[in-house]
Amino acid sequence: MKEDKMIRKAVERDLAGIAGIYEAIIDQEEKNAASIGWKRGVYPTEDTARQALNRGDLYVMEADGQTIVGSAIINQVQVAEYANCPWQYPAAEKDVLVLHTLVVDPAQSKNGCGRSFVNFYEELAREAGIRYLRMDTNVRNEVARAFYRKMGYKEPGIVSCVFNGIEGVQLVCLEKKLEEVI
């Protein structure tokens, strides 16, 4: 039976589920089953999700109306490191929508959840009349990089930085220009 999944704004009761996904991904990294570049207790944490919830820019994907299987932060906040990227499409902050901390429960990988979340993000941009999309990932995260390439995102630059408290990050900046907006 196919699970029914939907994306919606997060609410307080979703935080534990989101934090559980963060921990499951970090567990995989610590077992060398994934290479994301995150650190337990540093980034991301339940507080990362709580701050986004409080700002109103945290979204979740739930399965069958109850289980959180994915999460992302979507807003117009471009992290400071983006200033060091040679963007192909220079744009004012008001003209850019940014996807942060997209996660899918490892138990749901290969089920189209990531693709659905990116499609949702792009649709939000279209509805808001925003043409430029940006996001980032760690250079170590080859799975995400390949996924975003398949979704039409380009890598205009890699920025060396301390990112969200994690030292030595090679931050891959990604962008896409939407051809059609509403």
Side-chain angles (χ1 to χ4, degrees), residues 39-150:
K39 290 197 177 202
R40 189 177 308 280
V42 177
Y43 179 82
T45 64
E46 185 170 331
D47 193 53
T48 304
R50 183 175 305 286
Q51 289 174 22
L53 177 70
N54 291 341
R55 287 190 309 265
D57 55 17
L58 182 63
Y59 293 82
V60 293
M61 176 181 282
E62 67 179 10
D64 297 327
Q66 60 188 19
T67 304
I68 302 303
V69 297
S71 172
I73 300 166
I74 302 173
N75 58 36
Q76 291 187 277
V77 177
Q78 297 183 65
V79 296
E81 292 80 4
Y82 284 14
N84 298 321
C85 180
W87 297 104
Q88 181 178 351
Y89 306 113
E93 192 160 303
K94 68 179 181 62
D95 297 324
V96 176
L97 195 63
V98 184
L99 178 69
H100 309 270
T101 323
L102 172 61
V103 295
V104 172
D105 184 335
Q108 294 288 324
S109 70
K110 307 291 186 213
N111 283 346
C113 296
R115 180 173 297 281
S116 293
F117 233 120
V118 172
N119 288 337
F120 174 81
Y121 158 62
E122 292 179 3
E123 189 58 30
L124 278 180
R126 282 186 189 89
E127 290 173 3
I130 296 173
R131 172 161 280 154
Y132 303 101
L133 304 173
R134 291 184 179 164
M135 64 179 79
D136 58 74
T137 193
N138 193 308
V139 74
R140 294 171 40 185
N141 194 343
E142 287 294 337
V143 172
R145 292 175 74 186
F147 167 71
Y148 292 130
R149 275 192 295 275
K150 286 180 189 171

